[in-house]
Amino acid sequence: MGRPAFDFLDFLHAARQRYWQVLPLSPTGCGDSPYQSVSAFAGNPYFIDPGILCEQGLLLPGELPKQRCEEPDFYDLYITRPILFRKAFARADRREIAAFCETQRDWLPEYALFSAIKDSEGSRPWYEWEDPALRLREPTALAVARADFAEDILYHSFLQMHFFRQWEALRAYAARLRVQIIGDMPLYVPYDSVEVWKDSELYQLDENRAPTRVAGCPPDYFSEDGQWWGNALYRWEAHETTGFDWWQRRLIAANRLYDVVRLDHFRGISAYWSIPADAPTAAYGRWEEGPGMKLIAALKEACPGCRIIAEDLGVQSPELSTLLAQSGFPGMRLIQFAFGSDPGNYHLPHNHDANCVVYTATHDNATMMQWVAEVNPDELGHAVDYLGLNAKEGLPFGFARGVLGSAADMAIIPWQDYLGLGAEARMNLPNTMGWWRYRAQGSDFTEKLAKRIGYYTEMFGRG
């Protein structure tokens, strides 16, 4: 969140952009995925810029890490960042940290305790911790842990203080440039999270706190066996009994971080795919009814001014369409899903209405140039004819033009698609491990590219 991020905002401003959409900012978990986070409220310490800590006197110039590599080495960060941040923590004002903790007391004490215990357990998931009393949150064991790990609890609170301070400074700069930030709120939390450890009664667990059923989705475009996510499913009746209090607090927290919130896997609020925890694949799951408008109404009550985008992709149904219409939230359209079928395909731009957000693709899809290389010729031919793609303009900007020319109120182009990158720049392949590694380079942000993006943006009145 240091100089490169501010430079990127300058680029967006020069390119006449109004929105910057980001993936979840929470700490990454299994497979480095931001959708498998140990906390729904915390920020990812890897985003903290050591240079800013140096400017604040918490690090010395000689302690700063070397120039970052083109591709992030998450294991290296896992090893080296705690050593660096411990040095900064040793120079911190403890009263300042305590004051910050007081402003975040509804989530931070439990997160910091969870993180401290996890550190002492070699990062093992909470359900494998050595002490069963800590796994089961027995009050005496928790009190002892808070005393024994007091310094580590303060350290994790220190990290969160600097994450939020640096993010708030970046967001304030974005606001001065009139760039709004779209954040992402995953529907589920992983089994190994402070939320499941703390409030096990809100999840589908047995008497030993092991999942009985887990999240995923049925066989689809991405996987013939379906997708096994493994997240503990909610006990929606328990959430309803609390008036969806956890959900309300979560949305309020997200609304403090972002100008617009993308609600991931909106489909699961209508009906969700429930897989037996011992099933061999996700194909053995079944549809179960979600909380529907009861949850939506609770969210609107808690945060009436919050702007929400519903990620309504996946298996469609009349019930999902009805829920989206009742919510009033804009849904999502993908140009990559538009071709190779009949003219009624709702992803085709001529079928878009104003209340939707249109993309070339999302982080889960192939980049557009990878799609071009791999799609069948008939589908590509349909795209070429429909969008009037030509060699002079180039395919990346031809697809972008198709999105920007939509009637949708908002149009988002992934960075890789503006650069015309292929499979090497894909962000994620659902239901597989080892992704989330693409990183933009400062040399990509050229004045020429900013002018060209700005030209197309202004052409369709979106600047």
Side-chain angles (χ1 to χ4, degrees):
M1 292 184 289
R3 188 67 258 166
F6 285 82
D7 289 344
F8 182 62
L9 281 169
D10 288 336
F11 176 89
L12 293 180
H13 180 65
R16 309 294 295 147
Q17 300 302 286
R18 296 171 60 197
Y19 294 99
W20 175 13
Q21 180 168 338
V22 299
L23 292 171
L25 298 176
S26 45
T28 53
C30 179
D32 305 308
S33 169
Y35 294 91
Q36 293 288 339
S37 176
V38 296
S39 170
F41 292 86
N44 188 342
Y46 290 167
F47 290 138
I48 296 173
D49 185 73
I52 296 176
L53 298 182
C54 185
E55 292 170 4
Q56 297 169 341
L58 296 173
L59 289 174
L60 303 177
E63 295 171 336
L64 293 180
K66 296 178 181 179
Q67 182 72 21
R68 65 180 185 176
C69 58
E70 291 190 3
E71 186 176 89
D73 184 340
F74 291 120
Y75 182 72
D76 180 68
L77 292 174
Y78 172 77
I79 297 298
T80 61
R81 278 297 192 266
I83 297 171
L84 187 70
F85 290 149
R86 287 281 181 177
K87 292 177 181 177
F89 172 61
R91 300 173 179 126
D93 184 334
R94 304 304 176 89
R95 294 168 300 178
E96 198 175 24
I97 303 171
F100 172 77
C101 291
E102 184 61 25
T103 68
Q104 309 293 325
R105 60 182 178 274
D106 60 329
W107 68 271
L108 183 54
E110 290 294 331
Y111 165 76
L113 173 62
F114 178 84
S115 300
I117 299 173
K118 217 175 193 335
D119 287 349
S120 74
E121 292 278 347
S123 296
R124 286 188 296 176
W126 66 264
Y127 46 86
E128 293 181 5
W129 289 351
E130 186 174 343
D131 187 349
L134 286 177
R135 293 199 302 269
L136 299 176
R137 290 182 56 82
E138 293 180 5
T140 301
L142 292 180
V144 171
R146 287 191 179 96
D148 289 348
F149 301 126
E151 188 74 356
D152 293 329
I153 290 170
L154 200 62
Y155 164 71
H156 284 285
S157 302
F158 162 82
L159 292 180
Q160 291 304 304
M161 179 178 74
H162 282 280
F163 170 88
F164 283 101
R165 282 185 175 179
Q166 291 193 11
W167 175 253
E168 287 163 6
L170 187 65
R171 188 181 172 199
Y173 187 69
R176 289 200 293 275
L177 299 181
R178 296 184 6 185
V179 174
Q180 298 182 58
I181 295 177
I182 305 171
D184 199 307
M185 194 170 85
L187 181 68
Y188 294 119
V189 297
Y191 180 37
D192 183 27
S193 64
V194 63
E195 280 77 27
V196 178
W197 176 64
K198 177 179 178 292
D199 297 312
S200 58
E201 71 280 0
L202 297 178
Y203 301 88
Q204 295 185 31
L205 310 179
D206 63 19
E207 64 276 7
N208 296 315
R209 300 194 181 182
T212 55
R213 305 188 72 87
V214 296
C217 68
D220 63 1
Y221 171 84
F222 294 109
S223 174
E224 61 182 16
D225 289 328
Q227 296 181 42
W228 180 292
W229 300 335
N231 305 73
L233 289 169
Y234 298 112
R235 290 182 58 233
W236 285 116
E237 67 278 10
H239 283 272
E240 186 176 355
T241 299
T242 69
F244 298 100
D245 173 71
W246 179 80
W247 281 94
Q248 290 182 325
R249 290 187 290 108
R250 191 180 180 199
L251 182 61
I252 290 169
N255 194 48
R256 293 194 194 108
L257 283 178
Y258 312 117
D259 301 291
V260 185
V261 177
R262 173 190 179 272
L263 182 53
D264 179 59
H265 197 53
F266 185 81
R267 204 266 170 270
I269 297 176
S270 171
Y272 60 94
W273 192 247
S274 172
I275 310 165
D278 58 356
T281 72
Y284 288 81
R286 69 186 182 215
W287 288 110
E288 296 191 9
E289 185 178 358
M293 275 304 297
K294 290 181 287 189
L295 173 59
I296 302 301
L299 294 177
K300 288 187 171 184
E301 178 186 15
C303 200
C306 183
R307 297 165 60 195
I308 294 176
I309 296 169
E311 187 273 285
D312 60 331
L313 305 173
V315 179
Q316 298 296 302
S317 70
E319 294 78 13
L320 174 59
S321 299
T322 298
L323 180 63
L324 183 66
Q326 290 176 337
S327 74
F329 301 151
M332 289 175 52
R333 305 291 181 266
L334 268 62
I335 203 77
Q336 202 169 101
F337 290 168
F339 305 108
S341 60
D342 61 78
N345 184 330
Y346 76 108
H347 289 287
L348 283 166
H350 72 262
N351 293 321
H352 298 171
D353 58 22
N355 192 37
C356 71
V357 184
V358 59
Y359 299 75
T360 49
T362 74
H363 60 274
D364 281 335
N365 298 95
T367 67
M368 286 310 300
M369 294 310 292
Q370 181 185 2
W371 181 85
V372 166
E374 297 175 354
V375 75
N376 69 69
D378 289 342
E379 203 166 335
L380 179 58
H382 184 195
V384 170
D385 291 343
Y386 184 94
L387 295 174
L389 302 177
N390 60 83
K392 180 180 178 181
E393 178 181 55
L395 292 182
F397 275 85
F399 285 114
R401 173 172 48 77
V403 167
L404 294 169
S406 161
D409 281 339
M410 192 182 296
I412 304 291
I413 315 294
W415 177 243
Q416 295 96 315
D417 288 346
Y418 266 136
L419 289 180
L421 300 176
E424 75 283 358
R426 183 167 186 158
M427 180 60 77
N428 181 47
L429 182 64
N431 212 38
T432 60
M433 298 282 281
W435 295 84
W436 311 104
R437 303 185 69 82
Y438 169 74
R439 172 172 276 163
Q441 299 301 305
S443 57
D444 295 333
F445 313 136
T446 65
E447 182 180 353
K448 180 180 179 181
L449 182 59
K451 286 182 178 179
R452 193 172 189 204
I453 293 174
Y455 170 78
Y456 278 83
T457 303
E458 294 288 3
M459 180 187 295
F460 296 103
R462 294 187 180 276

